[in-house]
Amino acid sequence: MKGSMSTDLGIISVNPEVIAKYAGTVAVECFGIVGMAAVNMKDGLVRLLKKDSLTHGIQVSISDDNRITIDFHVIVSYGVSISAVTDNLISNVKYRVEEFSGMPVDKINIYIEGVRVID
C-alpha cells in the first residue's frame, strides 16, 4: 500500500519501493553490513545482492495510518557483534527514513541470512 499525506496543495503519495531503495542505501553504509540477501525459499539458498538490486532484500509495508514497517534480509561481516550491528542499523535506518519520508517507522525486523569474511 502506498503512503499518502494530504497538504494544502494536494496529496503526496509515496511508493514503498522508494522507501525500500532509500533504506537499502542507508543500510549498506552501516558498519558490519556486507549487503542485502536474496533468499530462495524453494532451495533454501541465500545469495549476496549487488548494489543495484538492494530492494530485493528489503520488504516495506505502509499501514493505513502511514506507519512504516521494514524487513531486512542482510549478510553481516565475520567477527562483528551481531547485536551491535543490528542496533546501529535500526537506529540509522529509523532516523534517516523518518527524516526522508515524514512518516514514522513503526517496526524494523532484521533477518541475518549469512556471514561473510571481508578481505
Side-chain angles (χ1 to χ4, degrees):
M1 170 173 220
K2 291 185 178 183
S4 59
M5 296 171 270
S6 183
T7 66
D8 295 340
L9 300 174
I11 296 174
I12 301 168
S13 295
V14 181
N15 193 326
E17 189 77 15
V18 173
I19 306 254
K21 184 124 184 144
Y22 186 75
T25 57
V26 171
V28 294
E29 293 173 0
C30 292
F31 172 77
I33 300 292
V34 175
M36 297 299 119
V39 181
N40 184 346
M41 294 299 180
K42 179 181 162 198
D43 300 331
L45 297 175
V46 175
R47 65 184 176 87
L48 182 65
L49 295 171
K50 294 183 171 70
K51 296 251 188 224
D52 57 344
S53 58
L54 292 174
T55 58
H56 295 299
I58 302 170
Q59 288 85 36
V60 173
S61 60
I62 303 172
S63 67
D64 291 334
D65 57 345
N66 289 333
R67 301 186 78 73
I68 300 171
T69 300
I70 306 172
D71 293 338
F72 285 100
H73 295 268
V74 298
I75 296 175
V76 297
S77 300
Y78 176 80
V80 298
S81 167
I82 290 176
S83 64
V85 169
T86 54
D87 288 345
N88 183 31
L89 177 64
I90 290 170
S91 64
N92 282 348
V93 168
K94 181 174 174 40
Y95 173 75
R96 300 228 351 233
V97 167
E98 285 179 347
E99 191 73 21
F100 172 72
S101 67
M103 294 183 279
V105 175
D106 215 17
K107 189 187 290 187
I108 298 176
N109 301 311
I110 301 173
Y111 303 95
I112 309 295
E113 301 294 349
V115 176
R116 289 274 167 100
V117 177
I118 298 179
D119 299 333

